[in-house]
Amino acid sequence: MSSYVPTLAIAIEEGASQSLFDLAQTLAADLAIPIAKDEAPADLFLHVRSDGLAIGPPGSRTAVSVDFLGGSAAHRRVSTGGKRQPLARALGLNKGLHNIIDATAGLGRDAFQLAAIGCTVTAIERCHVLAVMLKHGHARGLHRGSLPIREVLNRLTFVHADAATFLQNLDNSQRPDAIYLDPMFPTRPASALAKKEMRIVRDLVGDDQDAATLLETARRVAMSRVVVKRHPHSSPLAIDPIASHGGTRVRYDVFAPIS
Ligand SMILES: C[S@@+](CC[C@H](N)C(=O)[O-])C[C@H]1O[C@@H](n2cnc3c(N)ncnc32)[C@H](O)[C@@H]1O
């Protein structure tokens, strides 16, 4: 992780209900961050809104949310996902592997996509604010989602933990078929960062400088394979991928387990 730590505060939407104020108080205590009065200065705000939690700079219009209900890219993928897409092929889903750990959950987009194509996914996020947003979005989706959305979310579990520690503590019977990594890199090219949501995640978490160590840990735990998402022009995270899948925008490198 980078040494940069942004200052955070909670912003409550105008005209919020009492239940949103109560939620904001709970989050402030849980995350040990203040509730901003009149948008007092902070690098990033956790916006508490009637349509869910969102993180971003002041002014919630540019904030990004964990929203498994509507409008988000993840939601649309319920109907468009398939086992032929590059990530699914890299993870071996066409070979019947379906028990996945997403060790870098972020905003939960990829984890949701994998659950939408039938995987059972445990998604790990070490950033406390993101982990809270993921769990809140998950609970909200289970409460308000349509039956197809709830079926997807029932295959998905979010855990707040450092993934390396989490993986090392699994016993043999808990080892997943495959582990997926999508770390934030210092050299992640500008085009890959163009999506505003990843820019904001990067502002929040910095660069994942321990990604190579996480890959090595993952390779000792996965039963079948580890898949790492990379920009097509970036070198692999370790020297020995056994396959790569993808196209012009993204590449998925496949690594064999090591004992
Ligand atoms: C580029 S984002 C992942 C985006 C995600 N694939 C999605 O679809 O939204 C990388 C995330 O991995 C998390 N991360 C990196 N290393 C981690 C670790 N060792 N344990 C848990 N989370 C980690 C970071 O905090 C960050 O939120």
Side-chain angles (χ1 to χ4, degrees), residues 136-168:
H136 187 266
H138 188 251
R140 195 166 168 269
L142 281 175
H143 185 61
R144 300 189 187 188
S146 62
L147 183 59
I149 295 280
R150 291 195 314 256
E151 283 173 353
V152 172
L153 293 175
N154 276 324
R155 290 193 287 275
L156 191 47
T157 306
F158 290 107
V159 176
H160 174 215
D162 176 74
T165 309
F166 181 90
L167 293 174
Q168 281 158 353

Side-chain angles (χ1 to χ4, degrees), residues 1 77 102-113 124-128 130 134 159-166 180-185 188 197-198 201-202 204-211 214 229:
M1 279 189 293
R77 289 183 194 132
D102 176 348
T104 55
L107 294 167
R109 307 290 197 245
D110 291 328
F112 185 91
Q113 182 186 359
I124 321 289
E125 176 52 54
R126 66 180 167 193
C127 168
H128 197 177
L130 286 178
L134 289 165
V159 176
H160 174 215
D162 176 74
T165 309
F166 181 90
Y180 172 59
L181 308 182
D182 175 19
M184 191 69 79
F185 287 104
R188 205 172 164 111
E197 55 190 38
M198 277 307 121
V201 173
R202 189 181 194 167
L204 185 62
V205 305
D207 298 320
D208 295 324
Q209 288 165 356
D210 52 353
L214 179 59
K229 184 177 185 176

Side-chain angles (χ1 to χ4, degrees), residues 3-257:
S3 51
Y4 165 71
V5 180
T7 54
L8 292 171
I10 289 176
I12 311 175
E13 79 178 356
E14 246 174 72
S17 63
Q18 186 57 46
S19 65
L20 280 189
F21 274 100
D22 294 344
L23 173 62
Q25 298 278 6
T26 306
L27 292 170
D30 187 20
L31 295 165
I33 58 176
I35 296 178
K37 301 271 185 291
D38 302 322
E39 297 256 331
D43 296 321
L44 288 172
F45 289 88
L46 177 61
H47 298 275
V48 177
R49 313 188 301 208
S50 50
D51 62 351
L53 301 180
I55 187 94
S60 70
R61 268 183 306 155
T62 53
V64 292
S65 59
V66 174
D67 176 15
F68 299 121
L69 283 176
S72 74
H75 169 241
R76 285 196 298 275
R77 289 183 194 132
V78 171
S79 54
T80 59
K83 291 190 178 173
R84 283 179 317 232
Q85 59 186 275
L87 175 57
R89 280 190 284 124
L91 284 165
L93 305 187
N94 50 349
K95 298 191 171 85
L97 306 178
H98 63 267
N99 180 10
I100 311 290
I101 289 182
D102 176 348
T104 55
L107 294 167
R109 307 290 197 245
D110 291 328
F112 185 91
Q113 182 186 359
L114 291 171
I117 54 181
C119 299
T120 303
V121 184
T122 302
I124 321 289
E125 176 52 54
R126 66 180 167 193
C127 168
H128 197 177
V129 177
L130 286 178
V132 163
M133 290 174 65
L134 289 165
K135 288 188 181 190
H136 187 266
H138 188 251
R140 195 166 168 269
L142 281 175
H143 185 61
R144 300 189 187 188
S146 62
L147 183 59
I149 295 280
R150 291 195 314 256
E151 283 173 353
V152 172
L153 293 175
N154 276 324
R155 290 193 287 275
L156 191 47
T157 306
F158 290 107
V159 176
H160 174 215
D162 176 74
T165 309
F166 181 90
L167 293 174
Q168 281 158 353
N169 287 333
L170 293 179
D171 65 41
N172 226 16
S173 66
Q174 296 170 312
R175 291 169 62 191
D177 296 324
I179 298 175
Y180 172 59
L181 308 182
D182 175 19
M184 191 69 79
F185 287 104
T187 54
R188 205 172 164 111
S191 57
L193 272 179
K195 289 178 87 176
K196 109 190 142 169
E197 55 190 38
M198 277 307 121
R199 282 205 305 273
I200 290 174
V201 173
R202 189 181 194 167
D203 287 348
L204 185 62
V205 305
D207 298 320
D208 295 324
Q209 288 165 356
D210 52 353
T213 312
L214 179 59
L215 170 57
E216 190 176 330
T217 304
R219 291 179 73 176
R220 294 188 189 285
V221 173
M223 301 288 281
S224 167
R225 60 183 70 196
V226 179
V227 172
V228 182
K229 184 177 185 176
R230 300 288 279 169
H231 186 275
H233 298 139
S234 300
S235 55
L237 191 53
I239 56 168
D240 54 350
I242 52 171
S244 292
H245 299 258
T248 51
R249 287 174 43 212
V250 69
R251 189 184 77 233
Y252 298 101
D253 293 334
V254 183
F255 294 89

